[in-house]
Amino acid sequence: MINLKYRPPEEMKDSGVEWVGSIPQGWGLIPNKYIAEINTGSRDTQDSVDDGKYPFYVRSKKVERIDSYSFDGEAILTPGDGDIGGIFHYVNGRFDFHQRVYKYSDFKNYHGKFLYYYLKVLLKRKVMGLSAKSTVDSLRMPMLLNFECVSNEVQEQHKIADFLDEKTGYFDSIISKKEKLIEKLEEAKKSLISEVVTGKVKIVDGQMVERSPEEMKDSGVEWLGYIPRNWTFRKTSHDYEIRLGKMLQTTKKRSTDTLEEYLCTINVDWAGLKLDEVKQMWFSVKDKQQYLVKNGDLIVNEGGDAGKAVMVDGLSGDMYIQNAVHRVRPKGASKAKALYYWLFFLKSIEYIELICNKATIMHFTVEKFRNLPFLGQDYFEQKRMIDLLDARVPKINSIINKQRKIIEKIKQAKQSLIYEAVTGKIDLRDWEIKQEGE
């Protein structure tokens, strides 16, 4: 628990800038151009070198490596496009940077780490405010040069930066522990599904029981190992009908064409259909017969995150598919949910990426999907497997989702703390760094 002391209202004034809010009476505002040098790099992403000698800052959170450096000293770096206002690096040393990454350096009577915290919260607020009025897809130099920063004593900035180093470290520690817990839960889920769909365990009275060596045979497939003797390897098309969706049609071609909602990759998630954004296009009468989606269907990505799948459940109106996804229906006794869990397993071992050639734009074509190896079992055993996984996997997902919500709340609290500190709303005049052992 962090106990905070706030400045009384009579010590505050309106900054005149909506996204800054109130600031202490003795503070002012000053444009970036008067407190730091701002410029961009000269490198491109392709200049990165594996195990390079120096950090190489590009337009993502990931820091690459390179064998050259163009600056040596204290600096703040943020990309000019992509996640605008969402990525910041504070550096003190030698590094190189991308041609669309901005570098703040050579601070003029201004504390570098304080500016890092200020930009980390306030630049995003300004960008979000602008995006409500117009499209902001990149940061431009004039915007950064004229971006308003608070003006106060450097010693005060130093104290605020020290305070935030200490307190945000506390938040980061909690977030790190939660993220590690999520990683363990994700691995537990993968292991559970793998053990069941590959037959390493059998389901007896709703419980998993390890199979004896006598019950197993060599699958002949290196990445799969041993499988139950009575299970068979066959093409997915043996058990399932696979249909790729309709090519995008943006205009009405026939008088009978109608504008209909369709599913594409943005709607596919392992946890369930995401219907917060549903697109529309034109469908003919024949198209609607061919591409209709029903509850119980399995939808699988052809592109994007190829092989990712979702079970259709709870649809109340007509919905169709676009050619970025496949619709899958069982031909006989096999269940769509069995293929859903099998695909999850194959994705977890990156088998789908392997057959789709991850080095290029991935496409899980109809041909590749139909020829995909599927490990089949009889109806009753398949049902027992699905029942067990349907009972256990959602429980793991529920814990994961709960932890993610906690992380999001902690991140919001951290951002709020930074905002209130750098704008002087939190009173730190009596605050001192606690020495080790205090």
Side-chain angles (χ1 to χ4, degrees):
M1 186 70 180
I2 299 176
N3 294 315
L4 301 173
K5 177 185 176 184
Y6 288 85
R7 291 181 189 258
E10 59 270 19
E11 292 187 14
M12 305 297 287
K13 67 179 181 180
D14 185 0
S15 68
V17 177
E18 183 181 356
W19 41 268
V20 174
S22 61
I23 58 176
Q25 289 285 354
W27 292 25
L29 294 176
I30 184 171
N32 260 334
K33 59 188 175 185
Y34 296 120
I35 62 176
E37 295 293 330
I38 306 174
N39 51 48
T40 55
S42 59
R43 297 293 185 178
D44 203 349
T45 307
Q46 64 188 20
D47 296 327
S48 64
V49 177
D50 290 341
D51 302 319
K53 190 174 180 181
Y54 304 104
F56 177 34
Y57 295 92
V58 294
R59 293 173 294 176
S60 68
K61 290 182 180 180
K62 182 182 178 184
V63 180
E64 303 287 348
R65 304 296 298 182
I66 198 167
D67 282 331
S68 65
Y69 71 92
S70 58
F71 189 81
D72 183 3
E74 184 184 27
I76 302 162
L77 299 122
T78 188
D81 46 34
D83 186 3
I84 301 172
I87 300 172
F88 287 91
H89 302 280
Y90 176 78
V91 194
N92 203 337
R94 295 176 176 178
F95 63 87
D96 219 329
F97 58 117
H98 191 275
Q99 59 190 350
R100 283 296 296 135
V101 170
Y102 289 98
K103 171 180 68 69
Y104 295 72
S105 62
D106 303 292
F107 306 108
K108 307 162 189 175
N109 199 32
Y110 213 89
H111 193 267
K113 195 63 175 291
F114 174 85
L115 181 59
Y116 162 76
Y117 282 120
Y118 186 89
L119 292 172
K120 198 170 184 179
V121 174
L122 275 298
L123 186 58
K124 187 78 170 181
R125 282 184 173 230
K126 178 166 184 176
V127 169
M128 288 176 68
L130 289 172
S131 64
K133 302 168 187 174
S134 61
T135 301
V136 180
D137 55 7
S138 64
L139 291 175
R140 297 299 175 188
M141 186 66 82
M143 182 196 299
L144 296 181
L145 289 172
N146 294 303
F147 177 75
E148 300 94 337
C149 296
V150 294
S151 173
N152 57 336
E153 294 294 329
V154 176
Q155 288 181 331
E156 191 171 19
Q157 293 173 3
H158 195 160
K159 178 181 278 193
I160 293 170
D162 287 345
F163 168 81
L164 290 173
D165 281 347
E166 180 183 297
K167 302 307 179 185
T168 59
Y170 167 75
F171 285 120
D172 291 340
S173 175
I174 299 173
I175 291 170
S176 177
K177 289 176 182 177
K178 295 290 183 186
E179 287 174 340
K180 286 177 181 177
L181 174 58
I182 290 173
E183 286 178 12
K184 289 180 180 178
L185 289 166
E186 291 285 6
E187 286 303 314
K189 181 171 67 174
K190 289 178 184 179
S191 177
L192 169 66
I193 294 173
S194 172
E195 291 286 292
V196 173
V197 302
T198 61
K200 302 297 186 291
V201 296
K202 58 185 175 182
I203 313 305
V204 180
D205 297 328
Q207 300 298 317
M208 296 191 301
V209 178
E210 189 174 352
R211 294 182 193 266
S212 65
E214 293 75 25
E215 296 178 271
M216 307 294 281
K217 66 181 179 182
D218 189 348
S219 68
V221 179
E222 185 178 352
W223 51 266
L224 189 57
Y226 285 83
I227 61 174
R229 288 189 177 276
N230 60 334
W231 289 22
T232 57
F233 235 159
R234 53 207 187 223
K235 293 180 180 179
T236 299
S237 59
H238 179 276
D239 294 82
Y240 299 95
E241 173 198 306
I242 301 165
R243 177 174 289 279
L244 183 64
K246 173 184 167 66
M247 186 176 293
L248 192 64
Q249 181 184 329
T250 57
T251 58
K252 188 174 183 177
K253 296 181 178 179
R254 308 164 193 83
S255 61
T256 54
D257 286 359
T258 55
L259 198 60
E260 305 289 347
E261 293 183 330
Y262 67 87
L263 299 176
C264 57
T265 55
I266 62 171
N267 306 114
V268 177
D269 188 86
W270 292 109
L273 274 176
K274 296 171 66 177
L275 299 177
D276 48 325
E277 182 183 352
V278 179
K279 298 181 179 181
Q280 293 182 323
M281 70 170 167
W282 295 94
F283 286 82
S284 69
V285 174
K286 185 179 179 181
D287 289 337
K288 286 186 281 188
Q289 292 172 345
Q290 290 181 333
Y291 303 115
L292 180 66
V293 175
K294 299 177 181 178
N295 288 321
D297 286 344
L298 178 66
I299 305 299
V300 182
N301 284 354
E302 188 275 347
D305 191 356
K308 189 177 185 179
V310 64
M311 290 298 304
V312 178
D313 182 42
L315 280 186
S316 56
D318 290 343
M319 191 83 71
Y320 304 90
I321 51 169
Q322 183 245 357
N323 68 341
V325 297
H326 303 280
R327 184 197 65 202
V328 183
R329 290 175 178 167
K331 286 182 177 179
S334 288
K335 292 179 172 291
K337 199 63 176 288
L339 182 57
Y340 164 88
Y341 284 122
W342 179 247
L343 287 169
F344 185 94
F345 161 67
L346 294 181
K347 285 285 288 181
S348 73
I349 62 171
E350 298 189 348
Y351 182 78
I352 302 293
E353 284 75 4
L354 178 66
I355 64 173
C356 291
N357 190 359
K358 192 175 181 179
T360 61
I361 298 174
M362 285 177 55
H363 285 285
F364 190 30
T365 63
V366 172
E367 182 182 4
K368 287 174 182 174
F369 198 174
R370 287 173 178 165
N371 290 320
L372 185 77
F374 176 69
L375 192 54
Q377 51 288 126
D378 68 55
Y379 171 83
F380 296 104
E381 186 157 22
Q382 191 176 96
K383 185 178 184 305
R384 288 193 295 271
M385 292 163 52
I386 293 170
D387 288 347
L388 180 130
L389 291 174
D390 279 353
R392 297 193 181 188
V393 170
K395 291 179 181 178
I396 298 174
N397 286 337
S398 177
I399 299 171
I400 290 171
N401 290 335
K402 183 178 179 180
Q403 296 304 313
R404 284 178 175 155
K405 287 178 181 178
I406 292 172
I407 288 174
E408 189 56 36
K409 288 181 179 179
I410 294 171
K411 286 181 177 179
Q412 289 172 2
K414 175 183 169 184
Q415 290 293 93
S416 179
L417 178 74
I418 295 172
Y419 166 71
E420 292 177 337
V422 297
T423 55
K425 295 173 180 62
I426 298 174
D427 188 351
L428 297 175
R429 286 172 291 190
D430 297 327
W431 180 84
E432 293 181 1
I433 296 178
K434 289 183 180 179
Q435 301 300 323
E436 233 179 283
E438 287 186 28

